[in-house]
Amino acid sequence: MCVQKAIFLILIFLLPPGIYAQIPNLIPRPVSVEMGSGSFTIDQHTALRYNAAKPELIASANFLNACLKEISGIQLSSNVVKAKIIELKIAATPKFGAEGYHLSVTPKKIVLIANTKAGIIYGLQTIFQTLPAIRTNEELKIPAMEIEDYPRFSWRGMHLDVSRHFFSPELVKEYIDLMAQFKMNSLHWHLTDNQGWRIEIKKYPRLTSVGAWMMNQVGTAGAANSPGGLGYLAPNGGYYTQEQIKEIVKYAAARNITIVPELDVPGHSAAAILAYPYLSCEPPQQGPLTMQNFHRMPSSLCPGKDSVYKFLEDVYSEVLNLFPSKYIHIGGDEVDKRPWEKCEACMKLMEKEHLKNVDELQSYFVKRMEKFLVSKGRRLIGWDEILEGGLAPEATVMSWRGIEGGTAAAKMGHDAIMTPGTPLYFDHYQADPTTEPLAIGGFNTLKMVYDYEPVPKQLNETEAKHILGAQANLWTEFIATPDHLLRMVLPRMLALSEVQWSAENTKNWEDFNRRLQSYFYRFDQLGIPYSKGNYLVNVAPDSQDGKLTVRLSTEIYNAEVHFTTNGSDPTVNSDRYSHPIQVDSSVTIKAITVVNGVNKNPHPTVQSFVVDKATGRDVHYTYPISPKYAADGLNTLTDGVRGTTNLEKFWHGISGQQLIATIDLGKTQNVHAISIGFLQRFSDWVMMPQWAKFEVSTDGVNFNEIQTVNNPVSPDERKPVIRDFTARFGNQPVRYVRVTAEGANLPPSHPGAGNPAWIFADEIMVN
Ligand code: TNX
């Protein structure tokens, strides 16, 4: 036990009972909290006090009363004499900055002081977290305490894609409410994409009359196995009127949330092109829209035509009138520049502007957009692709393909916002896919989010100042309902809020996890869905020198793991896990998380292990596998765990090289069959290898080929498939096994036709 903790415990025991108050379960954790004695109860003897000449304070008082109304019906009157006072005060206190606050609670008085209205609102959010979540008979008791609090980062964002699936204004407000509770301040609203244009633009009505309903035309045909990683697209459409947008912007502003609109250009623009075909280099095919030709729709605006810039300036002028945000996001990601190479207007412009390639043409486009935005007093943000071909002079970069883009921008003296796919894409799985709704792929657990550090190590102190903060992105290709949406962001959003707000040295996973439990309780009370994924037991195989052991663990605070190995479902009475389980023969382990004697898993975590002669043996690769697909480590192919069609975690990936794996079985023994499993996932560029060759040896030098097995799976198969390639033969003495697999190229029907595909392998089995 650390000294601090010991002193803390001694103090608790020395205090007379009733005097010590437990620190409330606040998220994000404040900079400092000191508990006092007793508590302040909000009741009919309570009044508000503030300077009624300040509109910010009137608004804050109304905000407090609105919350109290929800949870109690109590309404506090202002500036009257009562026994107990809640005082709101805006006063210059440099220490608390633009968003911090000082909250002092004693039994007779609460004083909340901040430099700005934002700080007052955050102080109130802290108070709300100590009060009941719903209306009950509970007293509105706030423990006596002193809090000093201010954020670590100025950009505390959440992103919301309403293009792939449309979500109602009510849902957007609910999202804003959640963000506000956890002291986030930037909503990045992804309003347009290929699948739909969601914002009314008066000058171009077809953007919504056509562009907001395109998925309704496409319908569900081909939804289950649509190519190009688009997932399923339920018929869905809609848009926000300018009136609705104004109202949402106002609603957000009242909660200190700035909405940063993104109209994604010049790529991801099929919806706009369908509405106004002149916007692309070549007009799209005529005729009814189907899933097939939706994927062939041009998605890039033509940067060679003046009419396109005229369109964008008109559109953005209306956007700027609706959104007061200093930052405007123009997208800039994943642009299909191939049409530009064949476009006369683009060629002409490139010649005139001395642009060497289409990357420089994109950079020209972004710079021109930036000039326009700067002339209107705004600043441009773009996805990290805007670094390619030269960054616009004042642009802020949003780093999504890892942290490299943000790091490079900061080193160039540009601001950056960190939103790396791992771990901040909340459209990725947060737990074992077999227990979660279908997601786009990827794997970002609650703990990975909590452990994320936004400032890259490569940056020095001055460069680090350019990291404005962090943001999680919620893409909605696979998310069609509000319940599903909330389940994807909760509870990961709470972990992110602590990354964004709390001082780095106060972060503590255990303590966060403890506090988190009370939010699960609140969400249950409020009927807000959230993922219980982090209750699942983690199963980690560890193989060494031919021995396989399995570690079980749970992320949950103060929990036990109970398990079975006989196939039955575990209960609280099953064996309690205490040390790694040795696995000598094929077995299925089932495990549950138990908190205070209660099983917290609706379904147990289930993991089967296949044990054969290769299990636990070291694997040597001739060419290294990609660090992106390193799975559980070097021995993934012999850890007894088979990969599933969903989870990248179990697969070793390699691209552009043969996969050559050699295994030393430890001693010479009789062998009659060797297998290796491969995955095909068309939409993720993962294909079966063309063939796999099996060789054996007794000395590790001279190998005999046993058999080469050709790929039996069609390259056009779009559903994920796992296939074992197997060589069977008469018993032979073998000590070394070598498997070679030759990768394929992506087939002509694939969007990336001709490029090398990934080989994904898991588990080599020797019998
Ligand atoms: C990449 S992130 C995209 C989005 C997809 C997302 C799916 C980014 C700038 N582009 O268009 O929705 O992946 O995870």
Side-chain angles (χ1 to χ4, degrees):
M1 195 187 304
C2 70
V3 179
Q4 239 177 347
K5 218 168 169 183
I7 293 173
F8 176 74
L9 283 179
I10 292 167
L11 274 177
I12 297 178
F13 290 120
L14 289 180
L15 286 169
I19 286 201
Y20 168 76
Q22 205 200 336
I23 298 185
N25 295 318
L26 303 171
I27 292 181
R29 183 176 165 138
V31 171
S32 88
V33 183
E34 260 180 54
M35 299 312 294
S37 53
S39 57
F40 183 102
T41 305
I42 300 179
D43 54 24
Q44 68 275 27
H45 307 297
T46 311
L48 282 165
R49 181 185 297 162
Y50 54 87
N51 177 351
K54 290 198 180 220
E56 311 95 282
L57 290 178
I58 300 174
S60 304
N62 291 341
F63 189 58
L64 171 59
N65 262 334
C67 166
L68 294 179
K69 194 170 183 182
E70 287 278 315
I71 59 169
S72 70
I74 293 175
Q75 291 293 272
L76 303 180
S77 22
S78 302
N79 298 322
V80 293
V81 180
K82 290 259 169 122
K84 286 178 293 181
I85 294 294
I86 301 179
E87 185 174 4
L88 310 177
K89 212 158 141 183
I90 292 188
T93 5
K95 184 173 173 189
F96 301 116
E99 296 179 294
Y101 62 94
H102 182 196
L103 175 67
S104 152
V105 181
T106 58
K108 284 270 147 61
K109 197 168 183 191
I110 294 181
V111 183
L112 174 56
I113 303 179
N115 289 307
T116 61
K117 179 184 161 208
I120 298 285
I121 295 289
Y122 288 136
L124 293 177
Q125 295 289 5
T126 296
I127 292 179
F128 298 160
Q129 290 194 352
T130 68
L131 297 174
I134 56 168
R135 188 160 180 170
T136 62
N137 290 330
E138 246 178 276
E139 283 192 305
L140 305 186
K141 250 188 185 172
I142 304 158
M145 58 189 173
E146 280 293 314
I147 295 186
E148 289 190 2
D149 203 12
Y150 43 86
R152 177 175 175 208
F153 291 106
S154 65
W155 187 289
R156 302 183 302 282
M158 283 293 293
H159 153 287
L160 179 61
D161 167 10
V162 292
S163 172
R164 272 56 177 270
H165 281 101
F166 178 72
F167 292 93
S168 68
E170 291 69 33
L171 185 276
V172 178
K173 285 186 187 166
E174 191 174 353
Y175 202 74
I176 289 170
D177 278 335
L178 277 169
M179 288 176 63
Q181 281 173 43
F182 302 102
K183 302 190 173 75
M184 295 180 170
N185 65 0
S186 306
L187 171 59
H188 170 175
W189 204 3
H190 187 80
L191 284 161
T192 72
D193 210 299
N194 292 329
Q195 291 85 345
W197 184 282
R198 307 293 179 207
I199 170 173
E200 177 189 23
I201 300 294
K202 304 258 187 200
K203 201 160 183 183
Y204 297 91
R206 283 176 60 84
L207 285 172
T208 43
S209 67
V210 174
W213 306 101
M214 60 196 300
M215 281 305 120
N216 264 17
Q217 301 177 50
V218 172
T220 45
N225 54 3
S226 64
L230 280 158
Y232 80 84
L233 292 160
N236 173 293
Y239 68 92
Y240 309 97
T241 64
Q242 295 206 348
E243 280 314 302
Q244 286 173 322
I245 290 194
K246 278 186 209 151
E247 138 83 24
I248 293 171
V249 168
K250 203 171 123 200
Y251 187 87
R255 288 151 183 80
N256 194 42
I257 290 175
T258 303
I259 302 191
V260 179
E262 178 192 1
L263 278 60
D264 198 353
V265 290
H268 286 263
S269 293
I273 292 167
L274 189 72
Y276 295 100
Y278 74 87
L279 294 173
S280 64
C281 296
E282 275 210 42
Q285 281 175 4
Q286 293 300 308
L289 194 64
T290 61
M291 184 56 94
Q292 275 286 312
N293 60 26
F294 168 69
H295 286 293
R296 283 194 227 107
M297 277 275 302
S299 62
S300 307
L301 304 183
C302 175
K305 296 186 209 167
D306 268 337
S307 55
V308 170
Y309 296 96
K310 165 85 172 64
F311 165 84
L312 288 170
E313 291 186 5
D314 288 344
V315 167
Y316 273 98
S317 296
E318 291 192 31
V319 169
L320 299 186
N321 280 337
L322 296 169
F323 295 95
S325 164
K326 171 169 92 170
Y327 291 99
I328 302 291
H329 204 306
I330 59 112
D333 60 315
E334 298 178 318
V335 183
D336 179 5
K337 299 170 194 154
R338 286 172 303 183
W340 300 358
E341 280 165 356
K342 293 180 280 177
C343 161
E344 235 175 77
C346 292
M347 291 300 158
K348 257 202 190 143
L349 182 68
M350 285 171 69
E351 213 184 288
K352 181 170 154 230
E353 297 292 331
H354 311 291
L355 307 173
K356 285 196 283 297
N357 49 43
V358 287
D359 283 347
E360 290 191 7
L361 180 55
Q362 149 126 333
S363 160
Y364 169 88
F365 172 91
V366 176
K367 284 178 186 155
R368 199 159 154 179
M369 291 303 300
E370 177 175 81
K371 235 190 184 154
F372 171 74
L373 291 175
V374 168
S375 78
K376 305 281 180 200
R378 310 298 180 98
R379 301 202 52 179
L380 175 145
I381 303 183
W383 297 108
D384 56 39
E385 283 94 335
I386 67 167
L387 281 155
E388 294 160 10
L391 193 54
E394 296 179 40
T396 299
V397 170
M398 202 167 253
S399 195
W400 72 279
R401 296 173 300 177
I403 61 168
E404 291 75 14
T407 311
K411 281 192 181 287
M412 288 160 66
H414 282 253
D415 287 346
I417 298 151
M418 304 309 275
T419 69
T422 309
L424 296 187
Y425 269 35
F426 286 3
D427 56 336
H428 293 188
Y429 283 106
Q430 53 199 311
D432 182 348
T434 57
T435 63
E436 291 283 304
L438 183 67
I440 197 161
F443 195 61
N444 290 329
T445 64
L446 182 68
K447 176 138 197 319
M448 287 165 74
V449 176
Y450 191 81
D451 287 343
Y452 178 62
E453 165 50 39
V455 178
K457 285 198 185 64
Q458 298 89 319
L459 299 183
N460 65 32
E461 221 175 287
T462 323
E463 293 161 347
K465 294 214 172 73
H466 288 293
I467 304 296
L468 301 183
Q471 172 182 298
N473 295 336
L474 190 70
W475 303 99
T476 56
E477 286 98 329
F478 283 69
I479 304 171
T481 66
D483 272 13
H484 186 180
L485 186 145
L486 293 169
R487 198 185 147 132
M488 295 310 278
V489 297
L490 298 174
R492 289 187 285 198
M493 196 174 144
L494 281 67
L496 175 64
S497 78
E498 204 143 310
V499 170
Q500 295 167 328
W501 180 282
S502 305
E504 200 188 346
N505 60 4
T506 65
K507 271 177 65 185
N508 178 321
W509 166 250
E510 279 262 297
D511 184 59
F512 168 74
N513 220 307
R514 178 185 63 74
R515 283 175 281 134
L516 181 65
Q517 305 310 309
S518 66
Y519 290 86
F520 287 159
Y521 179 70
R522 291 173 80 91
F523 294 148
D524 284 338
Q525 283 186 312
L526 290 160
I528 297 179
Y530 58 92
S531 167
K532 298 189 173 70
N534 83 316
Y535 277 112
L536 288 172
V537 175
N538 300 312
V539 181
D542 186 20
S543 59
Q544 236 174 16
D545 303 329
K547 282 211 175 48
L548 178 64
T549 52
V550 177
R551 272 175 294 120
L552 304 181
S553 60
T554 171
E555 291 182 357
I556 298 296
Y557 177 77
N558 237 345
E560 297 168 358
V561 171
H562 292 249
F563 72 101
T564 62
T565 53
N566 63 3
S568 66
D569 278 354
T571 67
V572 294
N573 300 320
S574 305
D575 286 347
R576 177 172 171 193
Y577 175 82
S578 57
H579 56 271
I581 306 163
Q582 187 154 340
V583 173
D584 299 318
S585 57
S586 296
V587 70
T588 297
I589 296 179
K590 295 188 178 183
I592 52 171
T593 296
V594 174
V595 180
N596 297 330
V598 177
N599 171 11
K600 295 299 248 183
N601 298 119
H603 305 288
T605 302
V606 180
Q607 183 63 60
S608 296
F609 292 88
V610 265
V611 173
D612 56 71
K613 294 188 166 109
T615 308
R617 291 294 166 191
D618 289 348
V619 178
H620 171 79
Y621 281 107
T622 306
Y623 304 113
I625 47 139
S626 160
K628 262 164 75 184
Y629 302 109
D632 279 346
L634 253 191
N635 287 354
T636 296
L637 294 198
T638 54
D639 62 5
V641 178
R642 299 298 314 266
T644 68
T645 51
N646 278 318
L647 200 50
E648 276 88 351
K649 183 173 117 173
F650 296 122
W651 296 94
H652 268 177
I654 189 166
S655 162
Q657 277 295 9
Q658 285 185 332
L659 174 142
I660 307 179
T662 309
I663 300 174
D664 177 353
L665 300 178
K667 61 176 195 287
T668 302
Q669 44 196 304
N670 273 337
V671 168
H672 63 271
I674 309 170
S675 285
I676 178 167
F678 293 107
L679 173 69
Q680 177 155 316
R681 234 163 69 165
F682 187 94
S683 57
D684 295 310
W685 298 42
V686 178
M687 303 297 290
M688 289 287 154
Q690 300 179 51
W691 48 257
K693 180 168 77 182
F694 297 91
E695 296 169 292
V696 295
S697 161
T698 47
D699 60 6
V701 181
N702 302 303
F703 280 84
N704 289 333
E705 178 177 341
I706 300 259
Q707 200 181 332
T708 293
V709 178
N710 288 320
N711 169 32
V713 177
S714 161
D716 291 319
E717 177 55 69
R718 279 143 204 236
K719 288 200 207 85
V721 203
I722 296 170
R723 192 54 53 92
D724 289 347
F725 288 42
T726 302
R728 275 178 243 284
F729 44 96
N731 256 335
Q732 260 195 46
V734 171
R735 164 130 188 207
Y736 300 90
V737 170
R738 184 159 75 196
V739 183
T740 304
E742 176 75 34
N745 283 341
L746 293 163
S749 62
H750 195 282
N755 286 303
W758 285 91
I759 305 178
F760 265 37
D762 186 37
E763 221 51 22
I764 292 182
M765 293 148 289
V766 177
N767 282 298

